[in-house]
C-alpha cells in the first residue's frame, strides 16, 4: 500500500544517496563510523538485493552499540 510506513519499496536512488552520505561522514572517530554504519543499514531497506526490516536493523545496531560500549569484540 502506498504511503504505508512499514513498506519500503526498492529505490536505488535512495540507496545511493544514503550510502554517499555515509561515505561522506565516515571519519576517524568511532561515532562517525557508527553513524555511517547506521546509514548503510538503513539503505538496505531500499536495496532490492537486501532482505531486511526496521526491526532487523534495530536489533543489529543495538548489538553493535552494546559491543562497542562493552569495550569491543
Amino acid at each position: 500500500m502506498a504511503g504505508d510506513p512499514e513498506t519500503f519499496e526498492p529505490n536505488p536512488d535512495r540507496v545511493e544517496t544514503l550510502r554517499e552520505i555515509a561515505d561522506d561522514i565516515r571519519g576517524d572517530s568511532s561515532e562517525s563510523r557508527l553513524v555511517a554504519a547506521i546509514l548503510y543499514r538503513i539503505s538496505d531497506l531500499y536495496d532490492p538485493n537486501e532482505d531486511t526490516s526496521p526491526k532487523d536493523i534495530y536489533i543489529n545496531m543495538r548489538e553493535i552499540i552494546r559491543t562497542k560500549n562493552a569495550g569491543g569484540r
Side-chain angles (χ1 to χ4, degrees):
M1 171 164 68
D4 183 353
E6 294 300 315
T7 303
F8 298 91
E9 298 295 323
N11 186 327
D13 291 333
R14 186 167 286 166
V15 171
E16 182 179 348
T17 299
L18 287 167
R19 291 179 182 175
E20 285 176 359
I21 293 168
D23 290 339
D24 285 345
I25 65 167
R26 180 179 291 118
D28 294 331
S29 74
S30 62
E31 291 83 4
S32 66
R33 289 191 302 270
L34 181 61
V35 172
I38 292 169
L39 287 173
Y40 260 91
R41 289 294 291 143
I42 291 170
S43 76
D44 289 345
L45 289 171
Y46 303 98
D47 188 335
N49 299 316
E50 296 290 338
D51 183 25
T52 193
S53 70
K55 182 179 178 181
D56 295 335
I57 292 170
Y58 169 77
I59 290 169
N60 178 250
M61 295 313 302
R62 182 185 66 194
E63 291 308 310
I64 290 171
I65 292 168
R66 283 182 179 170
T67 301
K68 178 186 173 295
N69 288 341
R73 296 177 195 215

